[in-house]
Amino acid sequence: VLTSPPYGDSITTVAYGQFCKFSSLWVGLSHYLATRLDRLSLGGGPSSSVSIDSVASPLLTRTLEVLDQLGSSRRPSVLHFFADIGISLLEIERSLKKGGVLCLVVGNRTVSRTKLPTAEILEELLRGSGRFRHEETFERHIPFKTLPWANAPENVPNCRGETISRESVLVFSRT
């Protein structure tokens, strides 16, 4: 399995649904679904039923605590995103044969001026399952992209933040 899951909610990263609406309609996806892809995608909407207990990652727990200390309102969307990724990893595990390889291409996005260590959290989740062995992690610099290299998410003059400029390629084998 080779995949590059969304890096988080479309509010702060890429609005996948917005950019693929017409192609989704072209391949026959209903208008209802095509216009709600971002909300239906990984981390598309916080759910009150998601708890930190559903995601076994000490690093994620610490990251959420940092967001709490900052008074960030983004904690629920971050938790929901990783809970959704956890569900996806279970499905990948279920469908991947023993000895099969999983490659994840992920970036560490920033939420409330806090860098989310997505690659390390996913590594923790996969190692913690006991059914994947970490083979290697490659770092990749993104040479070109259509989104800006920096942004000003709070709209404060002269206060800019770096956007994703590097990705990690995590390689695991199914045990």
Side-chain angles (χ1 to χ4, degrees), residues 12 74 110 112-113 150-156 159-163:
T12 61
R74 302 297 306 285
T110 302
S112 297
R113 302 256 172 216
N151 63 8
E154 298 94 359
N155 291 320
V156 175
C159 188
R160 298 178 63 116
E162 178 186 316
T163 61

Side-chain angles (χ1 to χ4, degrees), residues 60-126:
L60 176 58
T61 301
R62 289 192 302 275
T63 303
L64 292 172
E65 287 169 357
V66 168
L67 291 175
D68 286 341
Q69 290 167 0
L70 293 172
S72 173
S73 63
R74 302 297 306 285
R75 183 189 203 280
S77 65
V78 171
L79 177 57
H80 188 73
F81 171 74
F82 282 104
D84 282 356
I85 285 277
I87 292 167
S88 298
L89 293 175
L90 288 174
E91 284 302 308
I92 291 170
E93 174 192 322
R94 185 183 62 77
S95 62
L96 196 61
K97 292 180 181 180
K98 195 173 193 173
V101 176
L102 167 62
C103 296
L104 290 164
V105 181
V106 298
N108 295 331
R109 79 182 218 262
T110 302
V111 172
S112 297
R113 302 256 172 216
T114 302
K115 190 74 80 173
L116 297 184
T118 304
E120 292 86 356
I121 291 170
L122 291 177
E123 190 174 321
E124 244 181 23
L125 292 174
L126 287 163

Side-chain angles (χ1 to χ4, degrees), residues 29-61:
L29 201 61
S30 75
H31 185 268
Y32 175 83
L33 289 176
T35 58
R36 288 161 181 80
L37 284 176
D38 288 326
R39 184 168 288 167
L40 298 170
S41 296
L42 295 173
S47 168
S48 58
S49 63
V50 177
S51 73
I52 189 62
D53 299 329
S54 65
V55 186
S57 166
L59 183 53
L60 176 58
T61 301

